[in-house]
Amino acid sequence: MLDVVLVLIALATGGGGAGPERETLTLTPAEAPVAASSSEEAPPPVASSEETPAALPYEAEPQVATGRFLTALEIKPIMGATRANWVAVREWDGQDLIYVTHIWSWRCGLAAMKLGVNGAAPEDWPLPPCHEDTAQPNAMLESDGLPYRAFPLKSVETVTVELIYDDLTTERSTFNRQGVLMP
């Protein structure tokens, strides 16, 4: 039910714009990247890099609305409206755990996800497959693995997330620990 409310809010607001903490890039195959930045605030992000990425090793997928949230066309407004939920940090059992559960829940419209900790360049974090042959293609199955990674306790200060949508646009945000720390 919450997902339905979030979708309605995202659609009603047009998915919002971007913020100083958010960078949107549009790439076309075999062309140099072209950056387009806009200005909407998102509470926990602290900064966004303005570096130009290298050409992506992906092909853009057709953007046809399926009603099943399988394309960038369908999930971009949701991801924009829920940016503050992209990642979470939890102190557990003597470790910092970085969760990407929210991103995994909308992965069917993504080509890739990258994550960097404490200013390190974002590295690929493989996404589980989209289960298009099921009634719930975005469902997380046991075979998909766990949506978190462990780090030494209190070592995570910032988390940079880069999402590459299946239409080859890219969004990137950096979140500070306090903004995404779970109580």
Side-chain angles (χ1 to χ4, degrees), residues 16-145:
E21 292 80 17
R22 174 172 140 177
E23 180 179 345
T24 302
L25 301 172
T26 305
L27 301 176
T28 55
E31 288 185 8
V34 177
S37 187
S38 52
S39 62
E40 173 194 314
E41 288 188 37
V46 293
S48 178
S49 172
E50 300 219 4
E51 62 190 56
T52 303
L56 299 174
Y58 314 105
E59 284 190 33
E61 294 183 16
Q63 296 301 300
V64 178
T66 64
R68 297 181 69 204
F69 302 99
L70 301 176
T71 66
L73 175 71
E74 295 170 304
I75 72 160
K76 267 190 202 180
I78 296 162
M79 295 305 284
T82 61
R83 174 177 306 278
N85 300 321
W86 284 6
V87 296
V89 174
R90 178 182 186 200
E91 293 178 4
W92 180 258
D93 199 24
Q95 300 176 50
D96 278 351
L97 303 179
I98 298 178
Y99 286 87
V100 294
T101 311
H102 183 74
I103 296 170
W104 277 22
S105 296
W106 297 102
R107 70 187 178 279
C108 290
L110 297 173
M113 174 185 73
K114 296 181 179 191
L115 188 121
V117 177
N118 298 336
E123 297 177 6
D124 284 326
W125 184 330
L127 293 168
C130 180
H131 307 291
E132 292 184 47
D133 57 339
T134 68
Q136 299 169 332
N138 286 305
M140 289 182 275
L141 306 179
E142 188 174 337
S143 61
D144 291 336

Side-chain angles (χ1 to χ4, degrees), residues 46 98 116-120 155-160 174-177:
V46 293
I98 298 178
V117 177
N118 298 336
S155 68
V156 176
E157 292 300 321
T158 62
V159 180
T160 300
T174 298
F175 303 87
N176 66 35
R177 179 186 187 87

